[in-house]
PDB file of all heavy atoms in Angstrom:
ATOM      1  N   TRP A  88      82.001 168.610  86.218  1.00 95.00           N
ATOM      2  CA  TRP A  88      81.910 167.393  85.433  1.00 95.00           C
ATOM      3  C   TRP A  88      81.816 167.741  83.952  1.00 95.00           C
ATOM      4  O   TRP A  88      81.703 168.899  83.565  1.00 95.00           O
ATOM      5  CB  TRP A  88      80.683 166.583  85.859  1.00 95.00           C
ATOM      6  CG  TRP A  88      79.369 167.267  85.573  1.00 95.00           C
ATOM      7  CD1 TRP A  88      78.570 167.132  84.471  1.00 95.00           C
ATOM      8  CD2 TRP A  88      78.713 168.232  86.415  1.00 95.00           C
ATOM      9  NE1 TRP A  88      77.465 167.936  84.582  1.00 95.00           N
ATOM     10  CE2 TRP A  88      77.520 168.619  85.758  1.00 95.00           C
ATOM     11  CE3 TRP A  88      79.007 168.791  87.660  1.00 95.00           C
ATOM     12  CZ2 TRP A  88      76.629 169.547  86.301  1.00 95.00           C
ATOM     13  CZ3 TRP A  88      78.131 169.714  88.201  1.00 95.00           C
ATOM     14  CH2 TRP A  88      76.952 170.083  87.522  1.00 95.00           C
ATOM     15  N   LYS A  89      81.871 166.717  83.108  1.00 93.00           N
ATOM     16  CA  LYS A  89      81.654 166.866  81.675  1.00 93.00           C
ATOM     17  C   LYS A  89      80.328 166.207  81.322  1.00 93.00           C
ATOM     18  O   LYS A  89      79.929 165.224  81.944  1.00 93.00           O
ATOM     19  CB  LYS A  89      82.798 166.224  80.882  1.00 93.00           C
ATOM     20  CG  LYS A  89      84.129 166.940  81.044  1.00 93.00           C
ATOM     21  CD  LYS A  89      85.200 166.325  80.160  1.00 93.00           C
ATOM     22  CE  LYS A  89      86.522 167.078  80.305  1.00 93.00           C
ATOM     23  NZ  LYS A  89      87.590 166.489  79.445  1.00 93.00           N
ATOM     24  N   GLN A  90      79.651 166.762  80.306  1.00 90.00           N
ATOM     25  CA  GLN A  90      78.358 166.209  79.930  1.00 90.00           C
ATOM     26  C   GLN A  90      78.059 166.520  78.472  1.00 90.00           C
ATOM     27  O   GLN A  90      78.747 167.318  77.822  1.00 90.00           O
ATOM     28  CB  GLN A  90      77.254 166.792  80.804  1.00 90.00           C
ATOM     29  CG  GLN A  90      77.019 168.289  80.582  1.00 90.00           C
ATOM     30  CD  GLN A  90      75.913 168.833  81.474  1.00 90.00           C
ATOM     31  OE1 GLN A  90      75.804 168.464  82.629  1.00 90.00           O
ATOM     32  NE2 GLN A  90      75.073 169.699  80.923  1.00 90.00           N
ATOM     33  N   VAL A  91      77.016 165.885  77.966  1.00 87.00           N
ATOM     34  CA  VAL A  91      76.545 166.157  76.609  1.00 87.00           C
ATOM     35  C   VAL A  91      76.067 167.601  76.534  1.00 87.00           C
ATOM     36  O   VAL A  91      75.390 168.099  77.439  1.00 87.00           O
ATOM     37  CB  VAL A  91      75.406 165.189  76.245  1.00 87.00           C
ATOM     38  CG1 VAL A  91      74.767 165.586  74.917  1.00 87.00           C
ATOM     39  CG2 VAL A  91      75.930 163.765  76.185  1.00 87.00           C
ATOM     40  N   ARG A  92      76.421 168.269  75.471  1.00 84.00           N
ATOM     41  CA  ARG A  92      76.085 169.687  75.303  1.00 84.00           C
ATOM     42  C   ARG A  92      74.576 169.920  75.417  1.00 84.00           C
ATOM     43  O   ARG A  92      73.767 169.228  74.812  1.00 84.00           O
ATOM     44  CB  ARG A  92      76.579 170.172  73.940  1.00 84.00           C
ATOM     45  CG  ARG A  92      76.370 171.661  73.683  1.00 84.00           C
ATOM     46  CD  ARG A  92      76.895 172.041  72.316  1.00 84.00           C
ATOM     47  NE  ARG A  92      76.676 173.437  72.024  1.00 84.00           N
ATOM     48  CZ  ARG A  92      77.520 174.416  72.373  1.00 84.00           C
ATOM     49  NH1 ARG A  92      78.634 174.120  73.008  1.00 84.00           N
ATOM     50  NH2 ARG A  92      77.256 175.665  72.076  1.00 84.00           N
ATOM     51  N   GLY A  93      74.204 170.912  76.250  1.00 84.00           N
ATOM     52  CA  GLY A  93      72.809 171.302  76.377  1.00 84.00           C
ATOM     53  C   GLY A  93      72.006 170.476  77.354  1.00 84.00           C
ATOM     54  O   GLY A  93      70.830 170.763  77.583  1.00 84.00           O
ATOM     55  N   LEU A  94      72.614 169.456  77.934  1.00 89.00           N
ATOM     56  CA  LEU A  94      71.892 168.587  78.863  1.00 89.00           C
ATOM     57  C   LEU A  94      71.528 169.352  80.135  1.00 89.00           C
ATOM     58  O   LEU A  94      72.329 170.107  80.674  1.00 89.00           O
ATOM     59  CB  LEU A  94      72.757 167.387  79.222  1.00 89.00           C
ATOM     60  CG  LEU A  94      72.134 166.352  80.167  1.00 89.00           C
ATOM     61  CD1 LEU A  94      71.037 165.575  79.431  1.00 89.00           C
ATOM     62  CD2 LEU A  94      73.203 165.404  80.680  1.00 89.00           C
ATOM     63  N   ARG A  95      70.317 169.153  80.617  1.00 93.00           N
ATOM     64  CA  ARG A  95      69.913 169.747  81.894  1.00 93.00           C
ATOM     65  C   ARG A  95      70.109 168.708  82.986  1.00 93.00           C
ATOM     66  O   ARG A  95      69.598 167.590  82.893  1.00 93.00           O
ATOM     67  CB  ARG A  95      68.451 170.196  81.849  1.00 93.00           C
ATOM     68  CG  ARG A  95      68.016 170.942  83.108  1.00 93.00           C
ATOM     69  CD  ARG A  95      66.615 171.505  82.970  1.00 93.00           C
ATOM     70  NE  ARG A  95      66.212 172.180  84.194  1.00 93.00           N
ATOM     71  CZ  ARG A  95      66.520 173.422  84.525  1.00 93.00           C
ATOM     72  NH1 ARG A  95      67.251 174.148  83.695  1.00 93.00           N
ATOM     73  NH2 ARG A  95      66.109 173.949  85.654  1.00 93.00           N
ATOM     74  N   THR A  96      70.872 169.066  84.003  1.00 93.00           N
ATOM     75  CA  THR A  96      71.222 168.112  85.058  1.00 93.00           C
ATOM     76  C   THR A  96      70.797 168.619  86.426  1.00 93.00           C
ATOM     77  O   THR A  96      70.513 169.803  86.617  1.00 93.00           O
ATOM     78  CB  THR A  96      72.741 167.855  85.083  1.00 93.00           C
ATOM     79  OG1 THR A  96      73.425 169.106  85.199  1.00 93.00           O
ATOM     80  CG2 THR A  96      73.204 167.134  83.826  1.00 93.00           C
ATOM     81  N   GLU A  97      70.779 167.684  87.357  1.00 94.00           N
ATOM     82  CA  GLU A  97      70.519 168.003  88.752  1.00 94.00           C
ATOM     83  C   GLU A  97      71.662 167.438  89.587  1.00 94.00           C
ATOM     84  O   GLU A  97      72.256 166.415  89.237  1.00 94.00           O
ATOM     85  CB  GLU A  97      69.192 167.394  89.205  1.00 94.00           C
ATOM     86  CG  GLU A  97      67.989 167.957  88.471  1.00 94.00           C
ATOM     87  CD  GLU A  97      66.706 167.253  88.866  1.00 94.00           C
ATOM     88  OE1 GLU A  97      66.638 166.027  88.721  1.00 94.00           O
ATOM     89  OE2 GLU A  97      65.771 167.957  89.313  1.00 94.00           O
TER      90      GLU A  97
END
Side-chain angles (χ1 to χ4, degrees):
W88 65 94
K89 293 184 178 180
Q90 67 180 40
V91 172
R92 184 180 178 87
L94 181 71
R95 185 174 179 83
T96 54
E97 296 175 303

